[in-house]
Amino acid sequence: MRKTLTLLTLSTALAAPAMAEELAVVGSWSSLPLHNQYEAPFWNETLPAASNGEITVALTTHNQMSLGLGDIYPLLGQGVYDVAMTVADYAVSDAPELEGLDVPLLALTADEARAMVDAARPMVSDIYRDRFNSHVLAIAPYPPQVVFCNHEIAGLDDLEGLKVRASGRMTAKLLEALGAEGVNVSFAEVPGALQNGVVDCAVTGAGSGYSAGWWEVSTHLLPLPLGGWDSVVTAMNLDRWNGLDSATQDLIQEQIITNFEDPAWASAQDALVNDVACLTGNGDCPAGEARSMVLVEATDADLARARDVLTGEVLPDWAERAGGDWAERWNASVGQVVGVTIE
């Protein structure tokens, strides 16, 4: 009851009438670079300025509102707020077909990842319309989801038998197929879980792990993108979107692509290199003090084995769970871009 009242109070405050077009916006993790460097400046400054003050924004984040991660998009669809953005993987329990957006290991560079996302965008738009009564505005990346271990490893084979926190359902399936034990631990709880042996390893973005201090409770870093690029979807409640005039819709869509999505993608590749340097001391760290985690270089054999498991076991399993014609749609879009066909 207390959580319900809190949500109602916050939503009422955020959605209060205003003379200008006021948007209640819920951003992603407040502590991470995507929010601080791109989301917050866009919603607080860029969009209001581009609209000459006709659009105003009340911005918070889902962790500041203490929202359950699986509740973010369903509440958006109900109109509790106007716009929300978070990791698409948080919504796959309600929409298993959404797992096809962020498939591990198929994109090793930011350019490859964006091509994969662009190919998936029509599918994602349909999913958000039908599942969450929402219109997709943008899809931005966190850096690739790599492996932090508080356990000595020398390569992918050493994950076998270890307890590993995955960053999404498809990653969990991949880790289990590789012989690891998938463990469900929230992002905020990972440092304690690593320190106390609840998990041996955990998957997240290199920059996220650096910002959250995972280097304090981890010794080894395997920069193989076992968790994909953790795509963050920005969407607007469909009723709210349809209630805007076409000029306002065009302004928001143009501005969010040009001044949020494009810059976030442009920095993603350099961010990975810099984040690995910050965690391991191998290179310059522009974010602050470099740490001294052991860098475990993934081999071609590691990558080949993981991709074999992905295409032979994990993707067919997803196709069965997603059902319908989603595998066919994926093959004709994302599959064409990455050269993979789900049989």
Side-chain angles (χ1 to χ4, degrees):
M1 177 64 72
R2 182 179 298 172
K3 180 177 180 181
T4 301
L5 290 173
T6 300
L7 285 174
L8 288 173
T9 301
L10 284 166
S11 64
T12 301
L14 287 171
M19 294 181 64
E21 195 74 70
E22 183 171 3
L23 298 178
V25 179
V26 176
S28 62
W29 293 101
S30 62
S31 62
L32 298 184
L34 181 66
H35 176 75
N36 292 315
Q37 296 176 19
Y38 300 104
E39 287 175 2
F42 174 78
W43 292 106
N44 285 332
E45 301 167 16
T46 304
L47 183 60
S51 71
N52 295 317
E54 291 301 311
I55 298 174
T56 60
V57 173
L59 176 68
T60 183
T61 65
H62 60 68
N63 58 297
Q64 290 170 337
M65 290 180 71
S66 299
L67 293 178
L69 297 179
D71 296 333
I72 294 165
Y73 292 124
L75 290 172
L76 173 66
Q78 295 167 27
V80 173
Y81 29 78
D82 299 315
V83 179
M85 58 211 75
T86 194
V87 178
D89 271 335
Y90 295 161
V92 298
S93 60
D94 291 312
E97 61 271 27
L98 189 55
E99 292 175 49
L101 167 63
D102 190 33
V103 180
L105 297 169
L106 295 185
L108 301 183
T109 68
D111 287 344
E112 292 171 350
R114 187 162 197 188
M116 186 168 68
V117 163
D118 286 343
R121 198 178 299 255
M123 292 191 301
V124 176
S125 295
D126 287 350
I127 293 166
Y128 275 76
R129 180 196 64 211
D130 297 340
R131 294 282 195 175
F132 304 115
N133 186 39
S134 301
H135 171 76
V136 172
L137 294 172
I139 306 175
Y142 279 135
Q145 303 294 289
V146 297
V147 186
F148 291 73
C149 286
N150 195 17
H151 191 284
E152 185 174 351
I153 61 170
L156 188 66
D157 288 345
D158 292 333
L159 296 182
E160 185 171 352
L162 298 185
K163 296 171 291 185
V164 184
R165 179 262 187 186
S167 57
R169 182 181 293 180
M170 195 172 285
T171 302
K173 293 287 184 182
L174 175 62
L175 287 165
E176 289 168 5
L178 290 168
E181 177 187 349
V183 180
N184 186 19
V185 179
S186 72
F187 178 83
E189 294 171 335
V190 167
L194 283 166
Q195 188 172 32
N196 297 323
V198 175
V199 296
D200 302 300
C201 304
V203 178
T204 197
S208 302
Y210 178 81
S211 299
W214 287 20
W215 45 268
E216 294 183 287
V217 290
S218 303
T219 56
H220 289 64
L221 181 73
L222 176 63
L224 192 65
L226 287 182
W229 288 70
D230 232 15
S231 298
V232 173
V233 175
T234 301
M236 178 179 284
N237 174 275
L238 189 58
D239 300 321
R240 188 74 167 90
W241 174 257
N242 289 336
L244 300 174
D245 61 65
S246 59
T248 302
Q249 289 179 343
D250 290 344
L251 175 69
I252 292 172
Q253 194 66 74
E254 176 187 354
Q255 288 293 319
I256 201 168
I257 296 298
T258 303
N259 293 307
F260 168 66
E261 187 180 76
D262 286 349
W265 277 108
S267 69
Q269 188 63 40
D270 285 343
L272 172 62
V273 173
N274 292 336
D275 293 339
V276 171
C278 288
L279 288 164
T280 65
N282 291 14
D284 296 328
C285 176
E289 185 178 349
R291 307 304 173 177
S292 56
M293 293 184 68
V294 176
L295 179 62
V296 181
E297 297 283 2
T299 66
D300 290 341
D302 285 336
L303 183 58
R305 182 188 173 211
R307 284 182 66 109
D308 284 346
V309 170
L310 176 72
T311 56
E313 299 181 41
V314 178
L315 280 171
D317 175 78
W318 167 71
E320 183 176 346
R321 283 185 291 105
D325 64 349
W326 289 107
E328 293 178 18
R329 291 189 64 179
W330 192 92
N331 283 340
S333 54
V334 179
Q336 289 283 339
V337 168
V338 299
V340 171
T341 300
I342 303 172
E343 301 296 342

Short mmCIF file of all heavy atoms in Angstrom, two decimals, residues 111-150:
data_model
loop_
_atom_site.label_atom_id
_atom_site.label_comp_id
_atom_site.label_asym_id
_atom_site.label_seq_id
_atom_site.Cartn_x
_atom_site.Cartn_y
_atom_site.Cartn_z
N ASP A 111 29.64 0.14 -33.92
CA ASP A 111 29.01 0.24 -35.24
C ASP A 111 28.19 -1.01 -35.54
O ASP A 111 27.08 -0.93 -36.08
CB ASP A 111 30.07 0.45 -36.32
CG ASP A 111 30.66 1.84 -36.30
OD1 ASP A 111 30.05 2.73 -35.67
OD2 ASP A 111 31.73 2.05 -36.90
N GLU A 112 28.73 -2.18 -35.19
CA GLU A 112 27.99 -3.42 -35.40
C GLU A 112 26.75 -3.47 -34.52
O GLU A 112 25.68 -3.92 -34.95
CB GLU A 112 28.89 -4.62 -35.12
CG GLU A 112 30.02 -4.80 -36.11
CD GLU A 112 31.02 -5.87 -35.68
OE1 GLU A 112 30.94 -6.35 -34.53
OE2 GLU A 112 31.89 -6.22 -36.50
N ALA A 113 26.89 -3.00 -33.29
CA ALA A 113 25.75 -3.02 -32.37
C ALA A 113 24.64 -2.09 -32.85
O ALA A 113 23.45 -2.43 -32.78
CB ALA A 113 26.21 -2.62 -30.98
N ARG A 114 25.02 -0.92 -33.36
CA ARG A 114 23.97 -0.01 -33.82
C ARG A 114 23.27 -0.56 -35.06
O ARG A 114 22.06 -0.41 -35.21
CB ARG A 114 24.53 1.38 -34.11
CG ARG A 114 23.40 2.35 -34.42
CD ARG A 114 23.74 3.79 -34.31
NE ARG A 114 22.51 4.58 -34.25
CZ ARG A 114 22.48 5.89 -34.30
NH1 ARG A 114 23.61 6.59 -34.38
NH2 ARG A 114 21.33 6.54 -34.25
N ALA A 115 24.03 -1.19 -35.94
CA ALA A 115 23.40 -1.80 -37.11
C ALA A 115 22.40 -2.87 -36.68
O ALA A 115 21.31 -3.00 -37.26
CB ALA A 115 24.47 -2.39 -38.02
N MET A 116 22.76 -3.64 -35.66
CA MET A 116 21.87 -4.67 -35.14
C MET A 116 20.61 -4.04 -34.54
O MET A 116 19.49 -4.51 -34.77
CB MET A 116 22.61 -5.52 -34.10
CG MET A 116 21.84 -6.72 -33.60
SD MET A 116 22.88 -7.87 -32.64
CE MET A 116 23.22 -6.87 -31.17
N VAL A 117 20.78 -2.98 -33.77
CA VAL A 117 19.66 -2.29 -33.15
C VAL A 117 18.75 -1.67 -34.21
O VAL A 117 17.52 -1.75 -34.13
CB VAL A 117 20.16 -1.23 -32.16
CG1 VAL A 117 19.07 -0.22 -31.82
CG2 VAL A 117 20.67 -1.89 -30.89
N ASP A 118 19.35 -1.02 -35.21
CA ASP A 118 18.54 -0.40 -36.25
C ASP A 118 17.72 -1.44 -37.01
O ASP A 118 16.56 -1.18 -37.38
CB ASP A 118 19.43 0.38 -37.23
CG ASP A 118 19.96 1.67 -36.63
OD1 ASP A 118 19.40 2.12 -35.60
OD2 ASP A 118 20.93 2.23 -37.17
N ALA A 119 18.31 -2.61 -37.23
CA ALA A 119 17.57 -3.68 -37.90
C ALA A 119 16.40 -4.16 -37.05
O ALA A 119 15.34 -4.54 -37.57
CB ALA A 119 18.50 -4.83 -38.22
N ALA A 120 16.59 -4.16 -35.73
CA ALA A 120 15.55 -4.66 -34.82
C ALA A 120 14.49 -3.61 -34.51
O ALA A 120 13.43 -3.95 -33.96
CB ALA A 120 16.20 -5.11 -33.51
N ARG A 121 14.72 -2.36 -34.84
CA ARG A 121 13.84 -1.28 -34.40
C ARG A 121 12.37 -1.46 -34.79
O ARG A 121 11.48 -1.22 -33.96
CB ARG A 121 14.36 0.07 -34.91
CG ARG A 121 13.80 1.27 -34.16
CD ARG A 121 14.41 2.56 -34.70
NE ARG A 121 15.84 2.59 -34.52
CZ ARG A 121 16.48 3.31 -33.61
NH1 ARG A 121 15.79 4.05 -32.76
NH2 ARG A 121 17.79 3.29 -33.53
N PRO A 122 12.05 -1.88 -36.02
CA PRO A 122 10.63 -2.08 -36.33
C PRO A 122 9.97 -3.14 -35.44
O PRO A 122 8.82 -2.96 -35.02
CB PRO A 122 10.66 -2.54 -37.80
CG PRO A 122 11.91 -1.95 -38.36
CD PRO A 122 12.90 -2.03 -37.24
N MET A 123 10.70 -4.21 -35.12
CA MET A 123 10.16 -5.21 -34.20
C MET A 123 9.96 -4.62 -32.82
O MET A 123 8.93 -4.84 -32.17
CB MET A 123 11.10 -6.42 -34.10
CG MET A 123 11.23 -7.26 -35.36
SD MET A 123 12.11 -8.82 -35.04
CE MET A 123 13.67 -8.23 -34.42
N VAL A 124 10.94 -3.89 -32.35
CA VAL A 124 10.87 -3.29 -31.01
C VAL A 124 9.69 -2.31 -30.93
O VAL A 124 8.96 -2.28 -29.93
CB VAL A 124 12.19 -2.60 -30.66
CG1 VAL A 124 12.10 -1.88 -29.32
CG2 VAL A 124 13.33 -3.60 -30.63
N SER A 125 9.50 -1.53 -31.97
CA SER A 125 8.38 -0.58 -31.99
C SER A 125 7.04 -1.30 -31.87
O SER A 125 6.15 -0.88 -31.13
CB SER A 125 8.42 0.25 -33.27
OG SER A 125 9.57 1.08 -33.30
N ASP A 126 6.91 -2.41 -32.58
CA ASP A 126 5.67 -3.18 -32.49
C ASP A 126 5.47 -3.77 -31.09
O ASP A 126 4.36 -3.79 -30.56
CB ASP A 126 5.68 -4.32 -33.52
CG ASP A 126 5.50 -3.82 -34.94
OD1 ASP A 126 5.16 -2.63 -35.13
OD2 ASP A 126 5.69 -4.63 -35.88
N ILE A 127 6.56 -4.26 -30.50
CA ILE A 127 6.47 -4.85 -29.16
C ILE A 127 6.03 -3.82 -28.13
O ILE A 127 5.13 -4.08 -27.32
CB ILE A 127 7.84 -5.45 -28.75
CG1 ILE A 127 8.18 -6.66 -29.65
CG2 ILE A 127 7.82 -5.88 -27.28
CD1 ILE A 127 9.63 -7.10 -29.54
N TYR A 128 6.62 -2.64 -28.17
CA TYR A 128 6.26 -1.61 -27.19
C TYR A 128 4.85 -1.09 -27.42
O TYR A 128 4.13 -0.79 -26.45
CB TYR A 128 7.29 -0.47 -27.21
CG TYR A 128 8.47 -0.77 -26.33
CD1 TYR A 128 9.45 -1.67 -26.74
CD2 TYR A 128 8.60 -0.19 -25.08
CE1 TYR A 128 10.52 -1.98 -25.93
CE2 TYR A 128 9.67 -0.49 -24.26
CZ TYR A 128 10.62 -1.38 -24.69
OH TYR A 128 11.68 -1.70 -23.88
N ARG A 129 4.43 -1.01 -28.66
CA ARG A 129 3.04 -0.60 -28.93
C ARG A 129 2.05 -1.62 -28.38
O ARG A 129 1.08 -1.27 -27.71
CB ARG A 129 2.86 -0.45 -30.45
CG ARG A 129 1.44 -0.02 -30.86
CD ARG A 129 1.24 -0.27 -32.35
NE ARG A 129 1.32 -1.71 -32.64
CZ ARG A 129 1.77 -2.21 -33.80
NH1 ARG A 129 2.22 -1.41 -34.76
NH2 ARG A 129 1.78 -3.51 -33.99
N ASP A 130 2.31 -2.90 -28.66
CA ASP A 130 1.34 -3.94 -28.31
C ASP A 130 1.42 -4.37 -26.85
O ASP A 130 0.41 -4.70 -26.23
CB ASP A 130 1.55 -5.15 -29.22
CG ASP A 130 1.30 -4.84 -30.68
OD1 ASP A 130 0.61 -3.83 -30.96
OD2 ASP A 130 1.79 -5.60 -31.55
N ARG A 131 2.63 -4.41 -26.30
CA ARG A 131 2.81 -4.89 -24.92
C ARG A 131 2.71 -3.79 -23.87
O ARG A 131 2.24 -4.03 -22.75
CB ARG A 131 4.17 -5.57 -24.79
CG ARG A 131 4.35 -6.85 -25.59
CD ARG A 131 3.67 -8.01 -24.90
NE ARG A 131 4.12 -9.30 -25.45
CZ ARG A 131 3.77 -10.47 -24.98
NH1 ARG A 131 2.94 -10.53 -23.94
NH2 ARG A 131 4.21 -11.59 -25.52
N PHE A 132 3.17 -2.59 -24.23
CA PHE A 132 3.31 -1.54 -23.21
C PHE A 132 2.60 -0.23 -23.59
O PHE A 132 2.85 0.80 -22.94
CB PHE A 132 4.79 -1.26 -22.94
CG PHE A 132 5.57 -2.47 -22.53
CD1 PHE A 132 6.60 -2.98 -23.32
CD2 PHE A 132 5.26 -3.14 -21.35
CE1 PHE A 132 7.31 -4.11 -22.95
CE2 PHE A 132 5.97 -4.28 -20.97
CZ PHE A 132 6.99 -4.76 -21.76
N ASN A 133 1.73 -0.27 -24.61
CA ASN A 133 0.97 0.92 -24.99
C ASN A 133 1.90 2.14 -25.09
O ASN A 133 1.62 3.21 -24.57
CB ASN A 133 -0.14 1.20 -23.96
CG ASN A 133 -1.04 2.35 -24.36
OD1 ASN A 133 -1.38 2.49 -25.54
ND2 ASN A 133 -1.43 3.18 -23.41
N SER A 134 3.03 1.96 -25.80
CA SER A 134 4.07 2.99 -25.83
C SER A 134 4.63 3.15 -27.23
O SER A 134 4.62 2.22 -28.05
CB SER A 134 5.22 2.63 -24.86
OG SER A 134 4.73 2.50 -23.54
N HIS A 135 5.16 4.34 -27.48
CA HIS A 135 5.82 4.67 -28.75
C HIS A 135 7.32 4.78 -28.50
O HIS A 135 7.76 5.56 -27.64
CB HIS A 135 5.28 6.00 -29.28
CG HIS A 135 6.04 6.52 -30.46
ND1 HIS A 135 5.90 6.00 -31.73
CD2 HIS A 135 6.95 7.53 -30.55
CE1 HIS A 135 6.69 6.66 -32.56
NE2 HIS A 135 7.35 7.59 -31.87
N VAL A 136 8.12 4.03 -29.24
CA VAL A 136 9.57 4.05 -29.07
C VAL A 136 10.15 5.32 -29.68
O VAL A 136 9.92 5.62 -30.86
CB VAL A 136 10.22 2.81 -29.71
CG1 VAL A 136 11.75 2.94 -29.71
CG2 VAL A 136 9.80 1.54 -28.98
N LEU A 137 10.90 6.05 -28.87
CA LEU A 137 11.56 7.28 -29.32
C LEU A 137 13.01 7.06 -29.67
O LEU A 137 13.53 7.67 -30.62
CB LEU A 137 11.47 8.35 -28.22
CG LEU A 137 10.08 8.87 -27.86
CD1 LEU A 137 10.17 9.77 -26.63
CD2 LEU A 137 9.47 9.64 -29.03
N ALA A 138 13.72 6.23 -28.90
CA ALA A 138 15.16 6.05 -29.11
C ALA A 138 15.62 4.75 -28.48
O ALA A 138 14.98 4.23 -27.56
CB ALA A 138 15.94 7.23 -28.50
N ILE A 139 16.74 4.23 -29.00
CA ILE A 139 17.40 3.07 -28.41
C ILE A 139 18.88 3.40 -28.31
O ILE A 139 19.54 3.62 -29.32
CB ILE A 139 17.19 1.79 -29.25
CG1 ILE A 139 15.71 1.54 -29.51
CG2 ILE A 139 17.83 0.58 -28.55
CD1 ILE A 139 15.44 0.35 -30.43
N ALA A 140 19.38 3.48 -27.10
CA ALA A 140 20.77 3.86 -26.85
C ALA A 140 21.50 2.72 -26.15
O ALA A 140 20.87 1.86 -25.52
CB ALA A 140 20.85 5.13 -26.02
N PRO A 141 22.83 2.69 -26.22
CA PRO A 141 23.57 1.59 -25.61
C PRO A 141 24.17 1.93 -24.26
O PRO A 141 24.55 3.08 -24.00
CB PRO A 141 24.71 1.38 -26.60
CG PRO A 141 25.04 2.79 -27.05
CD PRO A 141 23.72 3.55 -27.05
N TYR A 142 24.21 0.95 -23.37
CA TYR A 142 25.27 0.93 -22.39
C TYR A 142 26.47 0.28 -23.09
O TYR A 142 26.29 -0.40 -24.11
CB TYR A 142 24.87 0.09 -21.17
CG TYR A 142 23.98 0.80 -20.17
CD1 TYR A 142 22.87 0.18 -19.64
CD2 TYR A 142 24.28 2.09 -19.75
CE1 TYR A 142 22.05 0.82 -18.71
CE2 TYR A 142 23.47 2.76 -18.84
CZ TYR A 142 22.37 2.12 -18.32
OH TYR A 142 21.57 2.77 -17.41
N PRO A 143 27.68 0.45 -22.59
CA PRO A 143 28.81 -0.28 -23.19
C PRO A 143 28.59 -1.78 -23.05
O PRO A 143 27.76 -2.24 -22.27
CB PRO A 143 30.00 0.19 -22.37
CG PRO A 143 29.60 1.52 -21.85
CD PRO A 143 28.13 1.40 -21.56
N PRO A 144 29.33 -2.59 -23.83
CA PRO A 144 29.14 -4.04 -23.81
C PRO A 144 29.20 -4.60 -22.40
O PRO A 144 29.96 -4.14 -21.56
CB PRO A 144 30.30 -4.56 -24.65
CG PRO A 144 30.68 -3.45 -25.53
CD PRO A 144 30.42 -2.20 -24.74
N GLN A 145 28.38 -5.62 -22.19
CA GLN A 145 28.27 -6.23 -20.87
C GLN A 145 29.34 -7.30 -20.72
O GLN A 145 29.26 -8.37 -21.32
CB GLN A 145 26.87 -6.83 -20.71
CG GLN A 145 25.77 -5.80 -20.92
CD GLN A 145 25.77 -4.72 -19.85
OE1 GLN A 145 25.42 -4.97 -18.71
NE2 GLN A 145 26.18 -3.52 -20.21
N VAL A 146 30.36 -7.02 -19.91
CA VAL A 146 31.53 -7.88 -19.78
C VAL A 146 31.50 -8.58 -18.43
O VAL A 146 30.58 -8.41 -17.64
CB VAL A 146 32.82 -7.06 -19.96
CG1 VAL A 146 32.88 -6.48 -21.38
CG2 VAL A 146 32.92 -5.94 -18.91
N VAL A 147 32.52 -9.38 -18.15
CA VAL A 147 32.50 -10.28 -17.00
C VAL A 147 33.50 -9.83 -15.93
O VAL A 147 34.70 -9.75 -16.19
CB VAL A 147 32.81 -11.73 -17.42
CG1 VAL A 147 32.62 -12.67 -16.23
CG2 VAL A 147 31.92 -12.17 -18.58
N PHE A 148 32.99 -9.55 -14.73
CA PHE A 148 33.81 -9.25 -13.56
C PHE A 148 33.84 -10.50 -12.69
O PHE A 148 32.79 -11.07 -12.38
CB PHE A 148 33.18 -8.12 -12.73
CG PHE A 148 33.21 -6.77 -13.36
CD1 PHE A 148 32.38 -6.46 -14.43
CD2 PHE A 148 34.05 -5.77 -12.86
CE1 PHE A 148 32.38 -5.19 -15.00
CE2 PHE A 148 34.06 -4.51 -13.43
CZ PHE A 148 33.23 -4.21 -14.49
N CYS A 149 35.02 -10.94 -12.26
CA CYS A 149 35.12 -12.13 -11.41
C CYS A 149 35.94 -11.85 -10.16
O CYS A 149 37.01 -11.24 -10.23
CB CYS A 149 35.77 -13.29 -12.17
SG CYS A 149 34.70 -14.06 -13.41
N ASN A 150 35.43 -12.33 -9.04
CA ASN A 150 36.22 -12.35 -7.81
C ASN A 150 36.71 -13.78 -7.62
O ASN A 150 36.53 -14.41 -6.57
CB ASN A 150 35.35 -11.92 -6.62
CG ASN A 150 36.19 -11.58 -5.40
OD1 ASN A 150 37.39 -11.36 -5.50
ND2 ASN A 150 35.56 -11.57 -4.23
#
